[in-house]
Amino acid sequence: MRPSWYPVLWVFLPALLAGFLLFGVAGRDAVRAQVPVSWRQGVMAPNGDAGLRFMTAEGGFAARQGLGLRMVAFNDETLMFKALMAGEIETLEGSPSQAMIATSKGGDLKIVGCSRPKLGLSFFAHQGIGSLSDLRGKTIGISAPGALPELVARAMLGRVAIELRDVKFVELGNDADRVRAVAARKIDATVAASDFAAHTELGLKNLAHANDILPSFVSDCIVTRGDLWRKRFDDLVGLLAATMNAYDHALTHKADTVRLARRIAKLPAADPMPAANFDEMISNRSISPTLELDITKLLWLRDFLADERLIDSDFEPGTMIDRSARERALARIKGP
């Protein structure tokens, strides 16, 4: 004989099973939602500034925005931009000048925020060189034609009326490679990160700080492709929010930032560059945690590139600038 509750079971059993099925699907969706979204960002080879550049990924800030961020290091900025346009990375932190040149030649790039509104570079020479004016007829090391070190060198030399035909540019790798070449007198000078001056044993002469001569020259911006900006806008907002939080943390936690720089760049504990880089960034206010976008500086950069015959004088930087992702990121980190 069947129990009295047996008919009731058949009434509720389908609903019960459906509930279990929905719970299972929801559970799988929740697990899937917790999986970080893959994102790759190009950066220049790490040196003393590695604690600042890598904090977004290594400090957990990208993960909090649901991104599995991997930093991809390059020795050559031109190769980094080629990687972006080829889809090998989603964003990069690099020179807006390269972005403008690429876009003027038909590339579809977007500048969505600028992390370094000032140059943290210096023109270094060996002790046989007295001033920038003495570089006429000398050999200057660069990373690659059209990359930031060469463009800054061109602009600084122009301030002392030295033209391209008056010097010889040679490709010699990243900042560290070029600085060592200057110290060994294989070349006469190079533009490199200012914190290399902390290595007094190299005997470098700092001819000039780039920002003192070129205050409108923006160093680094966050750049992405137009197709990614259109298709993955929310992920891009997450990256910018993570970057803002990371820079804000890095600039207020010197010990954390210096420690991370030593680990990422594989620098010994006694290396003075990470602390020197941090102190310079603070004193010169070279980092913008809000990723400010100053169109007047980008217009100045356009005019400089046009004078150097690298882009047309009527190129309009505003066509490749997007403010909406940055504004959404600012709203996200501020909260309701």
Side-chain angles (χ1 to χ4, degrees):
M1 183 176 180
R2 294 173 177 170
S4 58
W5 47 263
Y6 190 79
V8 178
L9 177 63
W10 284 104
V11 173
F12 289 100
L13 185 59
L16 188 63
L17 290 173
F20 277 121
L21 287 172
L22 287 173
F23 178 79
V25 171
R28 286 195 301 274
D29 287 344
V31 170
R32 190 179 298 117
Q34 293 172 6
V35 176
V37 176
S38 176
W39 195 279
R40 299 158 298 179
Q41 174 151 299
V43 291
M44 292 305 294
N47 279 309
D49 64 348
L52 291 160
R53 290 195 186 277
F54 282 71
M55 186 63 76
T56 308
E58 299 295 324
F61 297 97
R64 291 170 202 168
Q65 295 292 335
L67 297 176
L69 178 61
R70 179 167 66 90
M71 309 298 274
V72 183
F74 292 82
N75 283 324
D76 183 333
E77 191 175 59
T78 58
L79 292 178
M80 182 167 68
F81 271 87
K82 287 179 180 178
L84 175 65
M85 290 186 286
E88 296 169 7
I89 53 178
E90 279 68 51
T91 48
L92 62 78
E93 186 177 28
S95 170
S97 57
Q98 282 278 344
M100 287 187 197
I101 293 170
T103 302
S104 71
K105 295 178 179 179
D108 182 16
L109 299 180
K110 291 288 184 183
I111 296 173
V112 293
C114 294
S115 54
R116 302 190 180 206
K118 299 179 182 180
L119 292 168
L121 304 172
S122 290
F123 220 135
F124 290 111
H126 57 67
Q127 292 297 324
I129 305 294
S131 67
L132 285 175
S133 299
D134 294 333
L135 291 175
R136 182 174 277 104
K138 303 300 184 183
T139 300
I140 298 171
I142 60 172
S143 58
L148 187 63
E150 188 207 13
L151 294 179
V152 172
R154 286 197 200 189
M156 293 179 76
L157 292 172
R159 293 297 189 271
V160 292
I162 295 179
E163 300 183 18
L164 285 180
R165 64 175 180 267
D166 298 325
V167 297
K168 179 182 179 181
F169 286 116
V170 295
E171 296 181 48
L172 279 176
N174 61 30
D175 279 16
D177 295 332
R178 300 195 310 277
V179 164
R180 284 193 290 266
V182 171
R185 297 205 176 197
K186 294 179 180 178
I187 56 174
D188 297 301
T190 192
V191 170
S194 296
D195 45 287
F196 276 99
H199 279 290
T200 56
E201 75 281 2
L202 294 176
L204 301 172
K205 178 175 284 187
N206 191 339
L207 300 178
H209 290 283
N211 187 64
D212 292 342
I213 295 177
L214 306 169
S216 295
F217 205 126
V218 177
S219 176
D220 288 1
C221 296
I222 307 294
V223 183
T224 190
R225 295 187 310 279
D227 65 295
L228 189 142
W229 172 74
R230 289 183 287 271
K231 296 176 183 177
R232 299 185 61 185
F233 186 79
D234 195 57
D235 291 337
L236 180 61
V237 170
L239 174 78
L240 297 185
T243 302
M244 292 174 181
N245 285 330
Y247 271 128
D248 187 61
H249 174 87
L251 292 173
T252 53
H253 293 78
K254 180 177 180 178
D256 289 351
T257 306
V258 169
R259 190 181 307 113
L260 179 58
R262 295 193 196 287
R263 177 168 68 83
I264 295 296
K266 297 182 173 60
L267 299 174
D271 194 300
M273 284 183 60
N277 178 272
F278 184 93
D279 292 341
E280 180 176 348
M281 292 294 176
I282 292 293
S283 62
N284 291 336
R285 297 182 180 179
S286 300
I287 299 288
S288 170
T290 60
L291 306 180
E292 65 186 70
L293 279 166
D294 187 339
I295 186 62
T296 59
K297 287 189 173 184
L298 295 175
L299 287 171
W300 178 92
L301 188 57
R302 185 273 313 276
D303 293 342
F304 163 70
L305 295 174
D307 289 342
E308 294 293 315
R309 299 181 180 179
L310 295 170
I311 62 174
D312 293 333
S313 59
D314 61 354
F315 176 77
E316 178 50 63
T319 60
M320 60 181 300
I321 294 172
D322 169 60
R323 299 180 183 278
S324 61
R326 174 179 175 269
E327 291 168 357
R328 285 270 300 275
L330 284 169
R332 181 179 295 189
I333 63 176
K334 289 177 181 177

